[in-house]
Amino acid sequence: MNLSTKKRKALERMSNEVGVIAALAIDQRGSLQKMMAKEKKNVSDEDIITFKELVSEELTPFSSAILLDPEYGLPASRRRDSNAGLLIAYEKTGYDQLAPGRLPDLLQDWSAERIQKAGADAVKFLLYYDVDEDEAINHLKHVFVERVGTECLALDMPFFLELVSYDARQSDVHSKEYAKQKPHKVIEMMKEFSKPTYFVDVLKVEVPVNMSFIEGFGKDFVFTEKQALDFYKEQSEATDLPFIFLSGGVTAEQFQETLRFAKKAGSTFNGVLCGRATWKDGVEPFAEKGIDAARNWLRSVGKENLEALNRVLEVTASSWFDKVK
């Protein structure tokens, strides 16, 4: 993979000194509001903004970068540690559940250029994708990603594509039935969006196997440990691009265990963009007791979560320096 000097410097700003991306994600919008609403009746925009500011201020000293959204996250971007890079999300949150295909959409009053002017080192775009969906729907998604990639290319700005798999025929991606399909879904979509036509610089992806359905890791299993290890290795070999893992809402401990499993399989993943696994349990004290309670949680448990994750990354993640020219 060839990187321009400008893109390489931007990626270096988002990575640690050895070329591993140890980034924090808090670009959640609707889902964060729902998390707060479980503990607090009236959740305001200011509540969401303030919580993001707290997470940024307290946790970016232990992260190589932070991912934020432009709707609520810009104040938090100004609170990040001076050594932490910045990614900004370009997509609208969620998708139209009444229309087929989980088609993506961009924030109407933003562009890649505006994101760059807001201080971002890179653009992040989230795409829900089912490799087995109707060809016409996937064609629209391919064109959409090409459009975003071309914008980033024109600005000489790194493009992070976040891929989230699903099955158009069933809604429960946590089911045993979907667990059987997930390796195929994840690996094939990585192959598709590694093609040069999309101008993707870094893939942000799921792990290929739900750890709860691996023999020895959950009560019920779909794959033996050997089969699961093979899928992790196959995923790693499916792309020449740097790729990082998303946490997918699991606990901090489960995510760390997953990364160790990936390393055991021989995966050459290049870091993480870790969201809820790091900070989600800090939402409750914030919503119930306010800023001071949340800050105390972030300074203790939140910090411990990140420090533990960083220790795991030291022995599991590979440098993206080895994948680029």
Side-chain angles (χ1 to χ4, degrees):
M1 176 185 175
N2 291 308
L3 272 183
S4 68
T5 300
K6 187 176 179 180
K7 280 190 176 185
R8 186 182 182 101
K9 288 182 177 178
L11 280 181
E12 288 174 349
R13 288 194 295 271
M14 294 181 283
S15 309
N16 64 23
E17 62 279 0
V18 297
V20 169
I21 298 170
L24 175 68
I26 184 163
D27 60 325
Q28 289 81 356
R29 284 152 275 181
S31 60
L32 179 56
Q33 192 276 337
K34 290 176 183 177
M35 292 171 69
M36 288 186 182
K38 292 179 181 178
E39 314 296 337
K40 183 179 181 179
K41 284 187 177 180
N42 298 310
V43 179
S44 67
D45 288 351
E46 190 60 36
D47 289 330
I48 298 172
I49 291 168
T50 299
F51 185 73
K52 288 174 183 279
E53 288 179 313
L54 288 169
V55 169
S56 180
E57 185 176 339
E58 298 297 336
L59 297 185
T60 53
F62 314 101
S63 305
S64 67
I66 186 169
L67 167 63
L68 291 159
D69 60 283
E71 295 163 291
Y72 301 99
L74 293 183
S77 73
R78 296 186 283 271
R79 297 285 191 94
R80 74 187 193 278
D81 186 84
S82 59
N83 292 319
L86 176 63
L87 301 93
I88 291 183
Y90 194 4
E91 77 279 351
K92 284 185 178 179
T93 186
Y95 54 86
D96 185 350
Q97 298 187 13
L98 300 178
R102 302 191 185 188
L103 293 173
D105 202 358
L106 298 176
L107 293 167
Q108 291 182 349
D109 54 348
W110 284 87
S111 65
E113 183 173 9
R114 288 176 182 268
I115 286 172
Q116 188 178 65
K117 288 179 178 178
D121 296 299
V123 167
K124 189 277 295 187
F125 180 73
L126 166 64
L127 181 75
Y128 291 95
Y129 194 77
D130 177 4
V131 295
D132 302 306
E133 195 154 30
D134 184 270
E135 185 177 337
I137 287 175
N138 282 346
H139 170 72
L140 292 176
K141 293 182 179 182
H142 297 165
V143 172
F144 209 104
V145 176
E146 288 170 10
R147 187 177 302 144
V148 178
T150 302
E151 275 194 71
C152 293
L153 180 68
L155 295 165
D156 206 9
M157 187 179 190
F159 175 25
F160 282 58
L161 178 62
E162 179 177 1
L163 295 171
V164 176
S165 67
Y166 69 99
D167 189 330
R169 297 166 300 178
Q170 58 175 315
S171 58
D172 187 3
V173 295
H174 303 291
S175 68
K176 181 177 180 179
E177 188 58 37
Y178 184 72
K180 298 175 184 177
Q181 303 297 321
K182 187 174 182 180
H184 160 70
K185 304 281 191 186
V186 171
I187 292 168
E188 292 305 314
M189 71 181 178
M190 284 182 66
K191 289 180 181 178
E192 174 62 37
F193 291 101
S194 296
K195 295 175 181 177
T197 186
Y198 300 109
F199 302 112
V200 174
D201 296 297
V202 179
L203 289 171
K204 179 186 177 187
V205 295
E206 304 163 281
V207 295
V209 183
N210 186 329
M211 296 293 287
S212 299
F213 293 102
I214 300 174
E215 186 177 16
F217 290 86
K219 294 180 181 179
D220 197 2
F221 72 92
V222 170
F223 302 113
T224 65
E225 181 175 343
K226 174 62 166 58
Q227 287 173 321
L229 289 168
D230 288 344
F231 283 129
Y232 272 80
K233 181 66 171 174
E234 184 180 352
Q235 176 192 41
S236 183
E237 294 172 349
T239 184
D240 292 326
L241 298 177
F243 71 97
I244 57 179
F245 286 132
L246 56 88
S247 58
V250 301
T251 67
E253 293 77 13
Q254 288 171 332
F255 192 48
Q256 292 161 27
E257 181 182 47
T258 300
L259 299 182
R260 294 189 187 98
F261 194 85
K263 175 64 174 180
K264 183 178 179 180
S267 174
T268 59
F269 73 96
N270 305 110
V272 298
L273 247 172
C274 183
R276 289 167 289 175
T278 301
W279 51 257
K280 67 177 180 180
D281 290 340
V283 172
E284 182 177 343
F286 174 78
E288 285 190 345
K289 299 179 181 178
I291 291 174
D292 289 343
R295 193 182 298 277
N296 288 337
W297 186 93
L298 291 166
R299 287 181 174 178
S300 55
V301 182
K303 176 185 174 183
E304 290 169 8
N305 286 344
L306 269 181
E307 289 180 329
L309 177 60
N310 287 336
R311 288 193 295 271
V312 172
L313 287 173
E314 284 180 10
V315 296
T316 60
S318 299
S319 173
W320 59 261
F321 295 164
D322 300 328
K323 294 184 177 180
V324 303
K325 296 178 182 178

